[in-house]
Each structure stands twice: as structure tokens, then as C-alpha cells.
């Protein structure tokens, strides 16, 4: 029994992900949805069954009969209800989706066209925790062309959904008119931009620091992310860092007093921020702080309590 479920369609992306998971020796079952909109869909389900039989995978098939009104949203709703039902019934805790870089850019452009904030405009992270399962998107940094190259190089059969070229669907319009052309020329920059935006989104909307009165601390990740968290926390004290100050904090390994008022200090695991207090400390208190791994510049503030 496996706890991994692959959302499969027999198309370019999900077929590539099927074989990449095999290469990585990740055990998984597959789920495919048939919307009965195209004659080819029967062949796609047949191909999914053949792969499941050949590679000893359990396959789950769902029939969704939808009209053309708001089809994309309703199709997505049908899919995810199916995945959630399977997760509850079979104990799947990981859902593998074959989203790739072109998908991420298309969504970005669609959201920007109608007006959206950072939280809405940046979607499809590589790993996304949901209530029922964790979503994994291993292909999210690959372009459609890179995926096609992988399939063709390895002589892997896949299907092309002709409806993906119908520009009556908004996503297809953005794909044809903007995303594909843009990503062909600027894929490296687009990849980096999404990395930076994901970091900013994480900092702004997932405050993973701990606060106790005016003491803040968080687990170290890397200096680039850590300095952004320090910057946000200091703003809560009404202090805005200059670029020179940010550089100085990193240079001093996050051990510094800012403006004589705010202490930043760290140990091997965490970074701490508090008001700076030059308070007398006896040996017993210092030893207690040392055992608790509280860095020196923070201890004066804690001595007040």
C-alpha cells in the first residue's frame, strides 16, 4: 500500500511525471478523470489502464459529466472532490500534480489581468500542505518544452488534448498569446522571479516566528530569507532598516544592536530579536541563559522578568 497518488491525464505533463516518479523509485497509484468531452478521452483512459497494469499500479477512474458553462472551474471542482474522496478512503497523504512552469506563468498572467494581490497571484508552490493531503509539484520548475524533450528522447507515448488550443478558454488564450512566447525567451529570469516571489509570500503570509511579549525568534534558513524576517519584525517595533544596515546585520552573523535600542543575536539554530537592555546579570542567571542557548545580546531583556 502506498500513500502517494498521482493525478494522471495521459497528457504531456502527467505522463512525464509518471515516468519520473518511476525513475525515482517512488511508489504511487494513479487517478484519472474522464469528462467525456472528446472521443480521444476513451483512448487516454485505456492508456492509463495499460500503464497501471504494466507497472503494477492501482488505478482510480472518475466520470464527470459537465456542461460548457464555467467548465474549467467545475472540472477542477470535480477533480479535487475525487482526489479528496480517494485520500479519505485509501489513506493517501501525498497528491502529485504535474503542473509545470508554463502553468504557473499562465495563472500569474490571468490573475494579474483581473487585479489580484501577491497571495492570489503566486500559486502552485512545489510543496503545498492541505487539510487532507500534501500536494507535490515536482515539475514546477520545468518548461513545457523541456518536458516534451524528455518524453521524445525516451520514446514515451503521450496524448495531446486538442481542447488546450481552443482560445475560448481563458487559460488557453493567455497560453497562446503571452505565456509561451514569454517563457521561450526569458525562462531563467522567470524561474528566479518566482523563487523570489515565493520567498516574499512566505514571509508576508506565513509568519513562522514565535513571539513572547517583545521577544521574537525563529529558526534559521538562509541569510537572504532570515534578513527579510528580521526586517519585518523590526518594523513591528517601528524601525525601518536601510540597505546598509541589512548588509551589516548579515556581515555580523545576525549579532548586532541597532540604534542602541534593538538587539539581534543568534545561536547555531535560531535568530532572536528583542529590545536591547544593558541589565546587570548574576552568574546563576547567566548560566541559565547559557544552558537555554539564549545569545548574549538578548539576555538583558529577559533579565527584566
Amino acid at each position: 500500500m502506498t500513500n502517494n497518488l498521482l493525478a494522471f491525464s495521459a497528457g504531456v505533463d502527467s505522463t512525464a511525471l509518471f515516468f519520473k516518479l518511476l525513475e525515482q523509485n517512488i511508489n504511487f497509484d494513479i487517478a484519472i478523470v474522464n469528462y467525456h468531452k472528446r472521443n480521444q478521452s476513451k483512448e487516454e483512459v485505456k492508456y492509463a489502464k495499460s500503464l497501471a497494469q504494466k507497472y503494477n499500479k492501482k488505478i482510480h477512474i472518475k466520470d464527470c459529466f459537465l456542461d460548457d458553462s464555467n467548465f474549467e472551474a467545475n472540472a477542477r471542482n470535480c477533480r479535487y472532490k475525487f482526489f479528496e474522496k480517494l485520500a479519505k478512503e485509501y489513506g493517501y497523504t501525498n497528491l502529485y500534480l504535474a503542473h509545470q512552469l508554463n502553468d504557473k506563468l499562465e495563472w500569474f498572467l490571468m490573475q494579474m489581468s483581473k487585479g489580484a494581490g501577491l497571495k492570489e497571484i503566486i500559486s502552485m508552490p512545489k510543496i503545498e500542505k492541505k487539510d487532507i493531503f500534501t500536494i507535490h509539484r515536482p515539475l514546477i520548475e520545468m518548461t513545457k518544452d523541456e518536458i516534451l524533450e524528455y518524453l521524445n528522447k525516451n520514446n514515451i507515448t503521450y496524448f495531446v488534448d486538442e481542447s488546450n488550443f481552443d482560445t475560448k478558454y481563458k487559460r488557453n488564450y493567455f497560453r497562446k498569446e503571452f505565456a509561451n512566447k514569454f517563457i521561450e525567451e526569458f525562462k531563467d529570469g522567470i524561474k528566479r522571479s518566482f523563487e523570489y516571489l515565493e520567498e516574499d509570500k512566505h514571509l508576508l503570509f506565513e509568519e513562522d516566528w514565535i513571539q513572547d511579549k517583545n521577544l521574537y525568534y525563529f529558526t534559521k534558513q538562509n541569510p537572504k530569507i532570515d534578513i527579510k524576517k528580521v526586517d519585518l519584525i523590526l518594523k513591528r517595533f517601528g524601525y525601518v532598516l536601510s540597505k546598509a544596515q541589512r548588509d551589516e546585520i548579515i556581515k555580523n552573523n545576525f549579532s548586532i544592536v541597532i540604534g542602541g535600542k534593538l538587539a539581534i543575536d543568534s545561536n547555531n539554530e535560531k535568530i532572536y530579536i528583542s529590545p536591547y537592555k544593558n541589565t546587570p546579570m548574576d552568574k546563576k542567571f547567566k548560566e541559565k541563559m547559557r544552558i537555554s542557548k539564549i545569545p548574549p545580546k538578548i539576555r538583558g531583556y529577559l533579565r527584566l522578568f
Side-chain angles (χ1 to χ4, degrees):
M1 184 174 179
T2 177
N3 62 347
N4 302 316
L5 181 67
L6 168 64
F8 189 75
S9 70
V12 172
D13 305 328
S14 66
T15 301
L17 183 52
F18 182 98
F19 285 93
K20 283 187 171 291
L21 292 176
L22 288 179
E23 290 172 359
Q24 296 170 32
N25 295 316
I26 295 175
N27 193 19
F28 61 94
D29 295 332
I30 64 177
I32 185 167
V33 178
N34 186 353
Y35 301 103
H36 297 272
K37 287 289 186 181
R38 300 169 292 110
N39 292 330
Q40 184 177 286
S41 63
K42 295 179 181 178
E43 294 301 313
E44 292 164 350
V45 172
K46 184 178 177 181
Y47 179 53
K49 288 179 177 178
S50 70
L51 288 178
Q53 183 177 19
K54 181 176 180 179
Y55 295 101
N56 193 29
K57 305 294 181 190
K58 182 187 290 292
I59 182 170
H60 307 280
I61 303 170
K62 172 71 174 178
D63 294 297
C64 284
F65 297 92
L66 305 169
D67 57 35
D68 290 333
S69 176
N70 203 18
F71 176 79
E72 289 180 298
N74 290 331
R76 184 185 185 281
N77 187 47
C78 181
R79 280 196 307 276
Y80 277 87
K81 283 185 176 179
F82 178 44
F83 300 150
E84 290 172 3
K85 179 177 180 292
L86 292 175
K88 291 175 181 176
E89 186 174 348
Y90 293 93
Y92 297 119
T93 55
N94 297 306
L95 176 65
Y96 282 81
L97 301 180
H99 291 132
Q100 31 80 359
L101 191 63
N102 295 60
D103 295 322
K104 195 175 180 78
L105 180 60
E106 289 159 17
W107 175 264
F108 178 94
L109 294 171
M110 287 169 61
Q111 295 301 328
M112 188 164 62
S113 73
K114 59 187 181 183
L118 180 62
K119 194 170 185 178
E120 295 77 27
I121 211 168
I122 304 300
S123 67
M124 305 180 193
K126 198 162 190 175
I127 298 175
E128 183 178 7
K129 291 188 178 298
K130 297 289 188 180
D131 292 337
I132 298 175
F133 42 58
T134 298
I135 293 175
H136 298 262
R137 298 182 176 91
L139 305 183
I140 201 63
E141 295 174 359
M142 291 184 70
T143 66
K144 175 73 80 173
D145 286 344
E146 290 168 337
I147 292 170
L148 282 167
E149 183 181 356
Y150 165 79
L151 291 169
N152 295 330
K153 180 181 178 181
N154 291 281
N155 296 313
I156 296 172
T157 299
Y158 59 88
F159 288 78
V160 176
D161 183 349
E162 294 173 355
S163 68
N164 286 336
F165 302 102
D166 188 344
T167 54
K168 75 177 181 181
Y169 298 114
K170 184 180 285 188
R171 179 182 286 278
N172 295 344
Y173 170 75
F174 277 89
R175 178 182 300 138
K176 179 182 177 183
E177 298 298 327
F178 304 105
N180 286 350
K181 297 175 185 177
F182 192 44
I183 216 162
E184 283 174 11
E185 288 194 53
F186 306 107
K187 68 176 181 180
D188 292 336
I190 291 167
K191 288 180 183 180
R192 288 196 299 272
S193 293
F194 277 130
E195 287 175 6
Y196 299 147
L197 288 168
E198 289 286 358
E199 289 175 0
D200 290 343
K201 180 182 176 183
H202 175 76
L203 290 172
L204 290 171
F205 299 107
E206 298 180 37
E207 298 178 353
D208 57 354
W209 54 69
I210 296 173
Q211 179 184 0
D212 184 5
K213 295 186 173 69
N214 281 327
L215 171 68
Y216 294 79
Y217 59 95
F218 56 88
T219 300
K220 287 181 175 179
Q221 288 180 264
N222 63 62
K224 185 168 63 174
I225 293 177
D226 295 340
I227 191 60
K228 289 183 178 180
K229 291 184 182 180
V230 168
D231 196 13
L232 287 172
I233 291 170
L234 291 188
K235 285 177 181 176
R236 293 188 167 205
F237 288 99
Y239 198 99
V240 179
L241 289 173
S242 67
K243 182 182 183 304
Q245 286 175 316
R246 289 194 291 270
D247 292 343
E248 189 69 13
I249 291 168
I250 294 172
K251 181 181 177 182
N252 284 277
N253 296 316
F254 295 88
S255 180
I256 194 170
V257 175
I258 300 293
K261 296 181 178 180
L262 295 169
I264 303 167
D265 213 345
S266 64
N267 54 33
N268 291 332
E269 300 174 352
K270 293 181 173 61
I271 293 174
Y272 296 76
I273 299 172
S274 75
Y276 178 65
K277 300 294 181 180
N278 189 10
T279 308
M281 291 172 274
D282 55 44
K283 288 185 178 181
K284 183 178 179 180
F285 180 80
K286 288 181 179 179
E287 181 62 12
K288 179 182 176 182
M289 293 292 98
R290 186 190 68 78
I291 293 172
S292 300
K293 298 181 180 179
I294 301 298
K297 292 181 175 62
I298 303 298
R299 296 174 184 176
Y301 171 74
L302 294 178
R303 187 67 185 90
L304 298 176
F305 301 97

